[in-house]
Amino acid sequence: MTVPSVPTRGRTLDYAAPVYDLLEPLCLLNRQDEFDRTVLQALDPQPGDKILDLGCGTGVQCRKISQFLDPGQGGCITGIDAAGRMIAAARAKRATPHCRFEAMAAEDLHFPDAAFDAVISSLFYHHVPLDLKRRSLEEAFRVLKPGGRLIVADMHTPTTFIGALVSHLSRWLFLQPQIAENIRGVLPELMSESGFLPPRIVARYFGYIAVFSTTRPL
Ligand SMILES: C[S@@+](CC[C@H](N)C(=O)[O-])C[C@H]1O[C@@H](n2cnc3c(N)ncnc32)[C@H](O)[C@@H]1O
């Protein structure tokens, strides 16, 4: 079924939706399962958790996380993406009663305050400009319960020569200034400015992706 996209200044991936499940493992050098496991470990989902995934794409991680949730205890995960075709693909392939998908912009979440125990986001923040990075982190803070966890896996200041090469090349190849902001290392600062506790880096991939973990203070 067709799902309308949501207007945003983020770089949405409507055009890539039909092939995204084939492309992503290649982009992650065939280490997608390991990468997803790292995010899962950092998230540490509890059976009754209500979880939100920002920029969920075709919902691969949502579905993996949903296996650790117990709908009987209220556990559920909602993936949002501004690209209607991503949401249509996610619904067709991965939706269950406790794994849902909605077309929504991460900078304008249609959820009440303190609705979630945890928010995750993987490879989303290098798709949006600085003001939307900030706005969506403020939105993540708003919809999290006090003590709620935020896990962000995304491009960050490279730590290896190959990492620097890949991130600078992709910035120029994809004409994506949003990547340059990530390379400058803006994410942890924006998280702190949005009210989160100072984030920790719990894992690194390929010399240019960092997995951040932080919480909304009690
Ligand atoms: C590289 S994909 C990551 C997908 C998935 N999280 C993963 O790890 O495979 C980035 C996603 O962010 C979405 N996106 C871009 N701007 C957005 C926005 N402002 N709000 C919500 N999603 C957005 C794109 O449509 C795309 O599906």
Side-chain angles (χ1 to χ4, degrees):
M1 204 206 299
T2 311
V3 178
S5 294
V6 176
T8 175
R9 284 181 290 108
R11 290 175 75 114
T12 50
L13 290 185
D14 269 309
Y15 63 90
V19 290
Y20 190 76
D21 285 352
L22 299 173
L23 280 184
E24 206 202 2
L26 295 181
C27 293
L28 292 172
L29 305 179
N30 226 10
R31 287 172 67 190
Q32 183 177 10
D33 279 344
E34 184 189 330
F35 178 76
D36 289 348
R37 261 199 312 277
T38 306
V39 174
L40 196 69
Q41 266 170 14
L43 175 66
D44 189 21
Q46 302 301 305
D49 275 350
K50 292 186 172 36
I51 300 176
L52 174 66
D53 181 357
L54 303 176
C56 64
T58 56
V60 173
Q61 273 185 342
C62 286
R63 185 56 185 263
K64 287 183 183 173
I65 292 165
S66 74
Q67 290 160 5
F68 293 83
L69 305 177
D70 175 5
Q73 295 184 47
C76 66
I77 182 160
T78 305
I80 66 105
D81 201 291
R85 284 189 189 170
M86 283 292 197
I87 293 302
R91 283 181 183 163
K93 293 179 181 176
R94 306 202 165 92
T96 68
H98 70 296
C99 179
R100 303 170 202 141
F101 300 97
E102 301 290 340
M104 209 179 285
E107 64 272 21
D108 181 22
L109 296 175
H110 302 178
F111 299 108
D113 295 358
F116 294 96
D117 299 287
V119 173
I120 70 151
S121 146
S122 156
L123 305 177
F124 155 70
Y125 277 98
H126 68 278
H127 279 255
V128 290
L130 196 62
D131 61 317
L132 298 192
K133 286 180 173 61
R134 182 187 298 278
R135 185 73 203 124
S136 92
L137 284 166
E138 288 168 354
E139 280 288 81
F141 186 90
R142 180 183 68 75
V143 301
L144 269 175
K145 297 174 185 170
R149 296 105 68 202
L150 173 73
I151 306 297
V152 172
D154 221 302
M155 297 179 78
H156 185 49
T157 310
T159 51
T160 62
F161 174 73
I162 295 291
L165 196 67
V166 172
S167 37
H168 285 282
L169 267 182
S170 37
R171 183 259 175 272
W172 291 110
L173 209 65
F174 301 122
L175 303 172
Q176 207 161 324
Q178 301 90 338
I179 291 179
E181 297 157 2
N182 284 50
I183 294 173
R184 280 210 318 272
V186 300
L187 284 180
E189 200 177 308
L190 290 178
M191 287 177 210
S192 297
E193 286 172 7
S194 305
F196 288 100
L197 293 176
R200 288 179 305 118
I201 293 181
V202 294
R204 287 187 189 271
Y205 276 88
F206 317 121
Y208 69 97
I209 295 175
V211 182
F212 296 97
S213 170
T214 181
T215 53
R216 176 180 168 156
L218 285 170

